[in-house]
Amino acid sequence: MSTLQIHIVEKCKKNDRQAQMQLYNKYCDGMLIVALRFVKDTMEAEDIVQEAFIKAFSNLNQYRAEVAFGAWLKRIVVNHCIDVLKSKRQRLMELEEHHLNVVDEDYENEWLVDDEITLEEVKQTIEELPEKYKYVVMLYLVEGYDHQEISEILNITEVASRTQLSRGKQKLQAILKLKKNGTRS
């Protein structure tokens, strides 16, 4: 993180409104994009971003600059999105541990789709996945979180995260293949 950004964060810790506005202006649009990946309503996403900034500014004393401020803020936005979805009864299905099969670690690295399929098509297809897979796939493939982080965000075990990712990627690949090839076998 740059010394200028550290300086701005330190000013924000002292409730400097201009510094807070600088950080807000720098990260607002990016955080809105993140929120829109989870909630499809722009107004709701804007509310989530506003509340995430309020939470971030209220808890700046917990920020230790071990990660970039943007990454720390993104985590707050993602967590708030998940909380909003849960509160709207769009609950994530949590599988009980005994129903899960441990997934082969090598499968995680096996993520192949046709070269003609665009990133936008992948993102749109993720939206079609069942919720129990959608959020894990989105957090892993799009947001770049690891299984430990996903397990904390979604309040599931790491085994559940791995299994849901594996099954979600299989479904995602099958849907993408079907879209590309149509109904022929």
Side-chain angles (χ1 to χ4, degrees):
M1 190 161 78
S2 72
T3 54
L4 175 63
Q5 194 169 17
I6 292 171
H7 179 68
I8 293 171
V9 170
E10 288 304 315
K11 287 174 114 179
C12 288
K13 286 181 179 181
K14 296 175 183 169
N15 288 325
D16 182 318
R17 299 292 180 219
Q18 283 187 323
Q20 289 175 342
M21 198 63 187
Q22 280 182 291
L23 277 182
Y24 178 82
N25 288 334
K26 180 173 181 162
Y27 291 105
C28 179
D29 292 339
M31 296 303 122
L32 182 62
I33 290 168
V34 170
L36 280 168
R37 288 187 195 130
F38 289 87
V39 297
K40 302 305 173 217
D41 180 66
T42 303
M43 288 178 55
E44 187 171 36
E46 288 171 350
D47 288 345
I48 288 170
V49 170
Q50 293 296 325
E51 291 169 22
F53 270 102
I54 291 168
K55 185 172 184 173
F57 289 140
S58 299
N59 294 301
L60 262 179
N61 58 328
Q62 295 175 10
Y63 175 66
R64 301 282 178 245
E66 294 161 351
V67 296
F69 179 80
W72 184 72
L73 180 61
K74 180 180 176 181
R75 182 83 182 256
I76 294 171
V77 171
V78 168
N79 285 335
H80 195 56
C81 287
I82 299 295
D83 290 344
V84 166
L85 291 172
K86 284 180 178 180
S87 72
K88 288 174 66 178
R89 300 218 190 312
Q90 294 177 342
R91 298 188 53 106
L92 303 172
M93 290 189 76
E94 295 179 13
L95 298 175
E96 293 183 31
E97 186 99 20
H98 65 274
H99 287 120
L100 301 175
N101 299 324
V102 177
V103 176
D104 182 8
E105 294 287 327
D106 293 333
Y107 183 75
E108 282 184 26
N109 300 324
E110 195 179 302
W111 170 240
L112 303 171
V113 293
D114 195 291
D115 290 339
E116 296 171 15
I117 295 175
T118 66
L119 178 59
E120 195 54 42
E121 288 173 306
V122 172
K123 286 180 181 178
Q124 288 172 354
T125 306
I126 289 173
E127 291 302 316
E128 298 172 25
L129 293 174
E131 285 187 9
K132 64 183 174 184
Y133 304 134
K134 176 171 44 177
Y135 297 111
V136 173
V137 170
M138 188 184 310
L139 288 169
Y140 189 86
L141 292 180
V142 179
E143 302 298 336
Y145 288 108
D146 63 27
H147 291 293
Q148 180 183 354
E149 294 168 319
I150 293 169
S151 70
E152 291 170 8
I153 292 169
L154 298 179
N155 197 25
I156 60 176
T157 64
E158 285 185 49
V159 173
S161 175
R162 291 180 194 287
T163 302
Q164 290 176 18
L165 176 66
S166 173
R167 293 177 182 167
K169 286 195 313 189
Q170 286 175 332
K171 281 192 169 295
L172 183 60
Q173 286 175 313
I175 294 169
L176 288 169
K177 186 175 181 180
L178 184 63
K179 282 183 177 182
K180 183 182 179 324
N181 296 333
T183 55
R184 31 184 188 131
S185 301

